[in-house]
Amino acid sequence: DVVMDLTRLAVDAGQFINRAVQYTEESIGQADKTELDPGLEQLLALADATKTCTDKIICQTEVLLQPNPGARLEDRLYEHLDWSVPSRPRALEALGDQMTQAGLEIGSTTPYGAALLRCGEVQKQLSEEERKLVQSTNIHFLTPLRSFTEGEFRAIQDERRMLVNKRLDLDIAKTRLRKAHEADREARNLNANPLDDDYLSHVSYMFSFLRVKWLKVSEMELRICQSLFDRQTEITRRALEGISNTHTNHMRSLTDFVEAQACFFDQCNQHAQELQKQVARCVLSGFQTETFSSTAAVINGAGSAVPTASSQPSQPSGTVNEPQTANAVACETMTTSAVADEPQTTNEMANEQPTINGDGQESSSASQDVVQ
């Protein structure tokens, strides 16, 4: 067993060295390279493009679901260690907690405090909807994409690497066969121009034997390498033809992601619309409270000014001032009548004065007549 293992190790090492030499010579242009089928080359290019695009989509989706790079790195570390990822509060949830705490401190009976409490509750609801979106995206979108990059594409890469090795072996066999044909031509030229019959007869016989054996071995090796290369080409082609099925699966996953996003935005819109109405009610309630307070202050100010002006105690409206009003009207009526009667009395006195004077004149005339 040890001898067999050492022999296999030596064969593998020699094969690795031959492949490295062949690859180097191809890179510097000193050896020919067997080209793959154009259809196979297109499938390989499509697989590489799919892998590159899928990696970018996965990376950017992870950034969308978790913008914090430190948290993403921590989650990835927990996944590699097969540990459960600790739950951490999201940004909306933290904002909701702060709003709820502020509303409780300000007071739930005030319009602003009630609005903060309602906003905090809705922010937590939005955070829950966001958590559902993250969970759905991880299960129905990111998992199938990672399954391709970590499973299907790795299998394709293994087959592709095997195909490259078989191609190198085929090119090595072609090189050996070419060198065998070159040696055969040299041997034929040597046999055509002998220098010493005794010496060259033995050398030519041995060289011909080795030449024939080398040609047969090279031809057999070439046939084997060609067969293995063709077989690996078909295996790789079948693996690459699964890219169309991969695209179909990714299309289905993309549809699930879009539906999850649509549901998330719809639920968030409903919560936001309801929150907008409730905040508007809180604003209207606060405005009405301020208006009522201002009106009460104005009424209280006007009521306190009445006793100061009239120097009378405050009494209920409608019954307090009725006797005073009646007395005032009576007094004004009497005063007006008295004032209005004074000119008439004066005129009467003026009218009576001539009568009195007339009586005086008559008395004076009667007295004179008696004297006489």
Side-chain angles (χ1 to χ4, degrees), residues 167-187:
R167 186 199 51 84
L168 290 173
D169 293 340
L170 177 61
D171 291 334
I172 292 170
K174 289 180 179 180
T175 302
R176 288 176 178 174
L177 183 60
R178 185 178 65 252
K179 291 181 179 180
H181 283 294
E182 292 176 355
D184 182 61
R185 286 194 298 270
E186 292 179 359

Side-chain angles (χ1 to χ4, degrees), residues 97-149:
D97 292 336
Q98 294 297 328
M99 286 185 173
T100 301
Q101 184 177 0
L104 293 175
E105 292 180 358
I106 292 174
S108 59
T109 57
T110 62
Y112 181 48
L116 282 174
L117 290 175
R118 183 54 186 162
C119 286
E121 182 181 354
V122 172
Q123 297 304 318
K124 293 180 181 179
Q125 293 175 355
L126 294 177
S127 177
E128 183 63 25
E129 296 296 335
E130 187 179 8
R131 193 181 300 276
K132 292 179 181 179
L133 174 64
V134 172
Q135 184 178 4
S136 176
T137 303
N138 282 323
I139 295 175
H140 301 290
F141 185 63
L142 291 180
T143 299
L145 297 184
R146 293 195 185 103
S147 176
F148 167 72
T149 58

Side-chain angles (χ1 to χ4, degrees), residues 138-307:
N138 282 323
I139 295 175
H140 301 290
F141 185 63
L142 291 180
T143 299
L145 297 184
R146 293 195 185 103
S147 176
F148 167 72
T149 58
E150 297 175 1
E152 297 176 14
F153 188 77
R154 286 187 178 180
I156 291 174
Q157 286 295 93
D158 292 339
E159 300 298 336
R160 184 178 185 177
R161 191 179 302 109
M162 186 67 67
L163 179 62
V164 171
N165 292 334
K166 298 303 179 182
R167 186 199 51 84
L168 290 173
D169 293 340
L170 177 61
D171 291 334
I172 292 170
K174 289 180 179 180
T175 302
R176 288 176 178 174
L177 183 60
R178 185 178 65 252
K179 291 181 179 180
H181 283 294
E182 292 176 355
D184 182 61
R185 286 194 298 270
E186 292 179 359
R188 292 179 183 277
N189 293 329
L190 182 62
N191 291 330
N193 301 312
L195 298 177
D196 188 359
D197 294 336
D198 295 334
Y199 174 76
L200 289 178
S201 60
H202 297 287
V203 174
S204 177
Y205 174 77
M206 293 299 297
F207 188 77
S208 298
F209 177 77
L210 294 176
R211 172 176 57 81
V212 171
K213 186 177 181 180
W214 188 14
L215 279 173
K216 290 183 178 180
V217 171
S218 299
E219 290 175 352
M220 183 179 64
E221 182 182 6
L222 179 61
R223 287 194 300 269
I224 294 174
C225 291
Q226 185 69 49
S227 177
L228 293 176
F229 174 75
D230 295 338
R231 179 175 178 272
Q232 186 61 36
T233 300
E234 292 301 322
I235 294 174
T236 306
R237 188 189 302 276
R238 286 196 298 269
L240 290 172
E241 287 175 352
I243 291 294
S244 59
N245 296 329
T246 300
H247 290 175
T248 302
N249 296 332
H250 287 185
M251 187 66 185
R252 190 179 299 112
S253 301
L254 182 63
T255 303
D256 294 338
F257 173 66
V258 172
E259 290 178 356
Q261 269 193 325
C263 181
F264 167 71
F265 290 132
D266 183 53
Q267 294 294 327
C268 290
N269 184 46
Q270 293 180 7
H271 290 308
Q273 293 289 340
E274 185 64 24
L275 177 61
Q276 186 180 12
K277 294 177 182 178
Q278 293 180 2
V279 171
R281 293 194 198 102
C282 293
V283 172
L284 181 60
S285 176
F287 178 74
Q288 290 177 350
T289 303
E290 293 178 357
T291 304
F292 179 77
S293 301
S294 301
T295 304
V298 171
I299 292 174
N300 292 332
S304 61
V306 171

Side-chain angles (χ1 to χ4, degrees), residues 353-369:
Q353 187 65 33
T355 306
I356 295 173
N357 292 334
D359 293 340
Q361 291 177 358
E362 291 179 355
S363 299
S364 299
S365 300
S367 298
Q368 288 177 3
D369 291 337

